């Protein structure tokens, strides 16, 4: 089974915080990490490979530094890594991103399965997986929490819903996005780390993938960010004081006021 | 490309501070941009001397937008029930439609829909396009996506809204891609700029630490998914008039490459936390499953749902559908009570937009107090039962 995993390098959300005094984003020590959901996507792919054979190829569209997450993915079990990188890709919204990834994946070749994370923690859109599947004209399912079986190009899996889960049968080739419930990602093995050091990462530019310049990056985007700002600071804060009974009493008064 | 006018730049560093991607820095008194730049534009906005500029090619618009008119809402229906976010969408949809002086329509897909369409009219829709077909009994991205896409193509609304639910977030991106238009996820604010009928879509990013306003300038429809519990629905009015139109999809458009074998309901409390107005959440501070019973009692007394931190879910005190946070659900109830939760950023991002946040924690320095509207420093095993008791007392008196 040939599996492609889409991984994105993102700023670590826990570091991105609003400075309450200046009301600006404090980016002190913001580290770049592999999107947490994509770790689970990769782990799911490596487990499928272990059970059914095949290869795992990781793909990332991003600046040259995104190579770091690709190497990390190799250390955790990926066989091949492709970096889709070009200044012309900058500013891509999900529409331009899915176009670019589609072109790159067609260039990579045939596959049985593509796995993405449920969403990237910087944009939180969850749109790239479904959009990419549509462009490749393959079925997709989002929020997979369990893959139970794979036989004769039929994959059985569970999709997380708001009120429970659905048990599904999916015709391959297909695309899945996964939630963290699906597995516990492994830590890199020593052998994996060695491999990650040595592996040569395939780099693809806009020209390499034959991208139409009008479909990529900022210019290819359908949406436009017109303003970025800090959320309204939260309303008044009160720390209650007094005995426990007094605090509970004050709290009840406040609760009654909003009801 | 981000352009920096080196004559105008004063090297103040505001842009460097603002950039979340570490893509711009002041070197020898002049801002310099590197490869990490995503052209998000936040530096351009903060620059006080207008030294930064993002060049965009003038683009040809898709076609004459004049053909596209009206606001259309996807009415989510599952297991014989309309998802509450649908009524909220009709509420905001009505407002946008009135601002634009156009009609508000709803698209209702499912099987055994009985009188559901008239309910959509009572909540604000002028027209309901309905497809009642057994092929739509289970949700599949293929069938729902194809049929919704066809209806939108045929009726050409200028705005399309759907709930940012498991279903909406799954199939709407595919519809937008098929229609070759933009989609803004998880909006919390929508408004019309009247001059050019543009939908201004505001949404949180970085787990709510940043807000962004987004437009879809070159194509129609303008599409957005909207967070549940943010928009206000209108009161139900049985007197409202509207039209119900049955739509017959082409048979091949109802086919799905994915089969639903079984649908399992797992919510222990019947109330889905993303739809709850009141949530009482518990964390590791509860010590064990028995401790969690206190949370359930308080939630019951308040008529709310039960939430949890990841630590509580990982300890298997409560199943995953109750997890709030980055890897769980994003909620925004009127009241969120956090008991024995430290307030790690991964938890905060899932609940910080709640109207009122109450934190109960014995550690006065717990970060949960930074986002709390009201904080109690104390032992939850003392505070929570007393609170439950008092609330029950008030109810009966
Ligand atoms: C990639 C990633 C994703 C994550 N996603 C999520 C997510 O979606 N949701 C989530 O919640 N977490 C998430 N986490 C985990 C998160 O970082 C925290 O570990 C977790 O939220 C901590 O849960 P907690 O507050 O219940 O536990 P702790 O941090 O252990 O806090 C327990 C609190 O209870 C208080 N306490 C103890 N006893 C009492 C008492 N008797 N009375 C009153 N107070 C008491 C303590 O003072 C303490 O503040 C994620 C982490 C990572 C790395
Ligand atoms: N630039 C990218 N390169 C590779 N994969 C991506 C990229 N952006 C998004 N993805 C994939 O799509 C998923 C959803 O991202 P998003 O739609 O941005 O929330 C991620 O978890 C990744 O698997």
């Amino acid at each position: 089974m040939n599996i492609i995993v889409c991984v994105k390098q993102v700023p670590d959300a826990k570091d991105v915080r609003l400075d309450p005094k200046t009301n600006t984003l404090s980016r002190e020590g913001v580290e770049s990490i592999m999107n947490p959901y994509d770790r689970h996507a990769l782990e799911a792919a490596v487990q499928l490979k272990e059970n059914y054979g095949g290869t795992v190829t990781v793909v990332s569209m991003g600046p040259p530094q995104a190579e770091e997450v690709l190497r990390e993915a190799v250390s955790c079990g990926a066989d091949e890594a492709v970096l889709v990188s070009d200044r012309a890709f900058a500013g891509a919204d999900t529409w331009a991103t899915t176009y670019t990834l589609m072109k790159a994946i067609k260039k990579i070749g045939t596959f049985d399965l593509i796995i993405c994370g449920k969403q990237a923690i910087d944009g939180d859109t969850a749109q790239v997986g479904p959009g990419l599947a549509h462009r490749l004209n393959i079925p997709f399912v989002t929020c997979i929490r369990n893959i139970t079986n794979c036989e004769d190009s039929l994959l059985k899996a569970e999709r997380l819903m708001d009120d429970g889960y659905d048990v599904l049968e999916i015709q391959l080739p297909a695309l899945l996005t996964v939630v963290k419930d699906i597995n516990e990602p492994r830590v890199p093995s020593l052998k994996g780390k060695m491999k990650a050091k040595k592996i040569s990462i395939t780099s693809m530019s806009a020209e390499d993938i034959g991208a139409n310049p009008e479909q990529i990056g900022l210019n290819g985007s359908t949406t436009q960010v017109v303003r970025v700002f800090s959320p309204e600071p939260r309303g008044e804060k009160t720390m209650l004081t007094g005995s426990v009974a007094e605090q509970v009493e004050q709290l009840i008064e406040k609760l009654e006021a909003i009801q | 490309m981000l352009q920096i006018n080196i004559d105008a730049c004063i090297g103040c560093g505001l842009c460097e501070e603002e950039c979340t991607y570490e893509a711009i820095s002041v070197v020898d008194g002049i801002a310099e941009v590197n490869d990490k730049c995503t052209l998000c534009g936040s530096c351009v906005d903060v620059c006080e001397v207008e030294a930064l500029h993002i060049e965009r090619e003038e683009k040809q618009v898709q076609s004459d937008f004049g053909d596209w008119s009206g606001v259309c809402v996807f009415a989510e229906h599952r297991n014989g029930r309309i998802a509450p976010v649908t009524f909220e969408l009709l509420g905001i949809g009505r407002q946008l439609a009135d601002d634009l002086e156009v009609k508000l329509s709803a698209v209702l897909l499912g099987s055994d829909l009985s009188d559901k369409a008239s309910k959509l009219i009572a909540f604000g829709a002028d027209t309901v396009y309905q497809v009642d077909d057994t092929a739509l009994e289970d949700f599949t991205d293929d069938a729902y996506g194809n049929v919704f896409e066809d209806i939108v193509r045929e009726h050409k609304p200028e705005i399309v809204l759907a709930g940012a639910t498991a279903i909406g977030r799954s199939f709407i991106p595919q519809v937008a891609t098929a229609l070759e238009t933009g989609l803004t996820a998880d909006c919390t604010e929508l408004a019309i700029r009247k001059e050019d009928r543009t939908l201004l879509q505001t949404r949180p990013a970085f787990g709510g630490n940043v807000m962004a306003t987004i437009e879809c300038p070159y194509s129609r429809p303008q599409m957005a998914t909207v967070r549940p519990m943010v928009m206000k629905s209108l009161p139900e009015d049985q007197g409202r008039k509207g039209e119900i139109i049955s739509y017959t999809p082409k048979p091949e458009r109802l086919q799905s490459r994915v089969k639903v074998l079984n649908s399992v309901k797992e919510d222990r409390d019947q109330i889905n936390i993303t739809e709850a107005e009141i949530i009482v959440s518990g964390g590791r501070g509860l010590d064990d499953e028995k401790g969690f019973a206190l949370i359930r009692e308080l939630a019951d007394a308040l008529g709310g749902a039960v939430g949890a931190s990841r630590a509580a879910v990982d300890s298997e005190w409560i199943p995953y559908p109750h997890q709030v946070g980055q890897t769980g659900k994003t909620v925004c109830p009127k009241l969120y009570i956090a008991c024995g939760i430290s307030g790690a950023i991964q938890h905060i991002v899932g609940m910080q937009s709640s109207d009122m946040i109450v934190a109960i924690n014995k550690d006065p320095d717990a970060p949960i107090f930074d986002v709390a509207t009201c904080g109690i420093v104390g032992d939850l095993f003392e505070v929570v039962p007393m609170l439950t008791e008092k609330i029950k007392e008030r109810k009966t008196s």
Side-chain angles (χ1 to χ4, degrees):
Chain A
M1 184 141 87
N2 291 330
I3 309 173
I4 293 175
V5 181
C6 298
V7 299
K8 186 177 187 188
Q9 190 178 41
V10 295
D12 193 349
K14 76 173 189 299
D15 297 332
V16 182
R17 276 200 105 162
L18 218 57
D19 182 330
K21 279 179 222 96
T22 58
N23 225 13
T24 55
L25 279 178
S26 119
R27 32 140 263 179
E28 215 172 301
V30 178
E31 239 186 285
S32 292
I33 56 166
M34 188 190 306
N35 182 37
Y37 293 97
D38 302 353
R39 283 180 182 285
H40 296 274
L42 174 64
E43 179 63 30
V46 174
Q47 287 183 12
L48 282 169
K49 176 183 82 168
E50 285 166 353
N51 290 335
Y52 302 99
T55 57
V56 174
T57 306
V58 279
V59 184
S60 188
M61 177 188 94
Q65 298 92 307
E67 194 185 310
E68 294 160 17
V69 294
L70 289 173
R71 285 195 192 276
E72 194 182 339
V74 170
S75 75
C76 296
D79 303 294
E80 305 283 339
V82 178
L83 177 65
V84 190
S85 189
D86 199 308
R87 290 216 79 145
F89 296 143
D93 71 349
T94 56
W95 162 266
T97 302
T98 57
Y99 173 81
T100 309
L101 289 174
M102 177 270 287
K103 286 301 244 182
I105 286 170
K106 287 199 163 160
K107 181 92 187 171
I108 291 169
T110 55
F111 59 85
D112 301 292
L113 187 63
I114 299 176
I115 311 184
C116 293
K118 171 190 150 202
Q119 66 192 57
I121 61 164
D122 53 354
D124 289 332
T125 77
Q127 289 172 190
V128 167
L132 177 59
H134 180 83
R135 287 188 185 267
L136 289 163
N137 192 20
I138 54 173
F140 72 92
V141 183
T142 60
C143 296
I144 292 293
R145 61 163 221 177
N146 192 10
I147 298 175
T148 48
N149 187 26
C150 182
E151 245 168 67
D152 303 329
S153 293
L154 271 186
L155 190 94
K156 260 199 195 153
E158 294 171 6
R159 158 175 70 196
L160 189 70
M161 298 295 281
D162 286 333
D163 57 359
Y165 63 94
D166 286 351
V167 184
L168 308 169
E169 198 173 74
I170 305 147
Q171 181 73 52
L172 299 185
L175 181 146
L176 309 177
T177 80
V178 303
V179 296
K180 69 118 204 180
D181 259 30
I182 190 165
N183 54 39
E184 204 49 63
R186 69 192 68 190
V187 289
S189 65
L190 196 62
K191 207 171 129 219
K193 280 188 186 159
M194 301 281 285
K195 185 167 181 211
K197 239 188 228 154
K198 280 192 284 188
I199 197 164
S200 93
I201 290 178
T202 314
S203 189
M204 294 184 181
S205 66
E207 204 187 321
D208 294 336
I209 60 171
N212 174 349
E214 279 170 22
Q215 296 287 324
I216 56 173
L218 187 67
N219 290 325
S221 297
T222 47
T223 54
Q224 210 175 333
V225 178
V226 289
R227 194 161 90 94
V228 179
F229 57 102
S230 305
E232 297 263 317
R234 292 195 60 83
E236 212 187 318
K237 278 181 205 165
T238 338
M239 291 301 281
L240 301 180
T241 52
S243 70
V244 173
E246 281 163 3
Q247 293 193 41
V248 168
E249 201 54 47
Q250 292 168 48
L251 176 57
I252 287 187
E253 273 166 32
K254 284 185 184 289
L255 297 186
E256 279 176 347
I258 65 162
Q259 269 167 12
Chain B
M1 272 282 289
L2 178 70
Q3 266 147 13
I4 301 169
N5 178 347
I6 53 171
D7 296 327
C9 179
I10 53 170
C12 68
L14 277 177
C15 52
E16 180 173 347
E17 249 170 61
E18 184 72 16
C19 180
T20 357
Y21 293 91
E22 287 189 298
I24 191 162
S25 50
V26 177
V27 179
D28 298 332
I30 301 284
E32 231 177 64
V33 63
N34 65 36
D35 285 343
K36 289 189 184 177
C37 176
T38 67
L39 299 177
C40 76
S42 46
C43 56
V44 177
D45 293 343
V46 293
C47 181
E48 288 176 350
V49 292
E50 293 179 20
L52 303 173
H53 174 66
I54 290 178
E55 194 150 21
R56 219 176 200 286
E57 278 168 29
E58 277 306 309
K59 272 223 291 204
Q60 227 38 97
V61 292
Q62 189 184 56
S63 62
D64 183 10
F65 291 164
D67 305 351
W68 297 83
S69 161
V71 177
C72 175
V73 161
F74 172 72
E76 184 172 324
H77 174 269
R78 185 167 153 89
N79 303 325
R81 171 176 173 267
I82 297 176
V85 69
T86 307
F87 305 115
E88 298 157 20
L89 293 173
L90 288 170
I92 179 72
R94 182 76 264 165
Q95 198 180 312
L96 300 175
D98 291 346
D99 281 355
L100 290 164
E101 298 175 27
V102 293
K103 289 236 162 106
L104 173 64
S105 62
V107 172
L108 177 62
L109 309 182
S111 169
D112 257 333
L113 295 169
S114 63
D115 62 343
K116 296 288 186 319
S118 49
K119 196 152 181 195
L120 300 176
I121 291 170
F123 276 95
D126 298 310
T127 315
V128 178
Y129 299 103
Q130 166 171 313
V131 184
D132 196 330
D133 196 304
T134 47
L136 296 171
E137 182 170 344
D138 292 314
F139 167 74
T140 61
D141 294 278
D142 275 345
Y144 272 65
N146 291 337
V147 173
F148 191 49
E149 177 197 333
D150 290 348
I151 293 176
V152 170
R153 266 191 210 284
E154 196 169 316
H155 296 284
K156 292 193 170 2
E158 62 205 287
I159 293 173
V160 173
L161 306 177
T165 58
I167 288 178
R169 289 182 61 143
S170 185
F171 89 103
I172 295 291
Q174 160 208 355
V175 174
T177 309
L179 292 167
E180 301 185 28
T181 192
L183 169 64
T184 308
D186 272 17
C187 294
T188 53
E189 224 181 287
L190 295 171
I192 298 292
R193 187 173 57 219
K194 282 213 176 119
E195 306 95 85
D196 57 1
R197 306 176 74 83
T198 293
L199 180 66
L200 299 171
Q201 310 161 83
T202 300
R203 66 180 300 259
F206 285 107
N209 290 324
V210 190
M211 303 296 289
T213 302
I214 292 166
E215 292 175 14
C216 176
Y218 309 114
S219 53
R220 290 293 176 272
Q222 306 168 85
M223 295 181 66
T225 60
V226 180
R227 274 223 180 134
M229 303 297 294
V230 177
M231 304 298 174
K232 299 270 164 291
S233 50
L234 297 166
E236 183 168 2
D237 175 1
Q238 301 288 354
R240 287 186 48 90
K241 295 255 173 316
E243 193 182 3
I244 301 171
I245 300 174
S246 273
Y247 175 88
T248 313
K250 297 197 193 76
E252 70 269 20
R253 301 295 273 167
L254 287 166
Q255 258 144 41
S256 171
R257 295 166 290 185
V258 174
K259 252 208 242 117
V260 180
L261 303 178
N262 190 13
S263 209
V264 182
K265 264 199 150 208
E266 212 187 24
D267 244 342
R268 213 194 277 177
D269 306 280
Q270 301 305 311
I271 315 172
N272 170 356
I273 56 169
T274 57
E275 295 172 357
E277 298 209 335
I278 297 176
I279 297 174
V280 185
S281 258
R284 183 148 34 209
L286 285 150
D287 289 343
D288 54 28
E289 203 166 344
K290 273 191 257 114
F292 231 87
L294 298 177
I295 298 297
R296 204 169 289 280
E297 279 164 35
L298 177 55
D300 286 345
L302 286 164
V306 176
S309 74
R310 172 162 163 183
V313 173
D314 284 351
S315 308
E316 297 182 1
W317 300 340
I318 185 154
Y320 178 71
H322 296 266
Q323 183 173 319
V324 172
Q326 191 193 18
T327 40
K329 286 178 178 162
T330 302
V331 297
C332 87
K334 295 211 168 67
L335 172 64
Y336 188 92
I337 306 185
C339 312
I341 293 178
S342 61
I345 185 71
Q346 294 89 349
H347 187 80
I348 303 272
V349 296
M351 44 67 81
Q352 64 184 351
S353 43
S354 308
D355 287 353
M356 178 177 182
I357 296 171
V358 176
I360 302 168
N361 196 306
K362 65 180 180 190
D363 172 10
D365 298 322
I368 189 77
F369 290 120
D370 295 342
V371 294
T373 331
C374 181
I376 295 185
V377 178
D379 185 348
L380 70 90
F381 291 100
E382 206 180 327
V383 177
V384 174
M386 194 186 287
L387 187 58
T388 309
E389 207 45 50
K390 287 264 163 67
I391 287 165
K392 281 194 193 152
E393 260 171 40
R394 302 250 162 166
K395 265 204 195 148
T396 47
S397 68

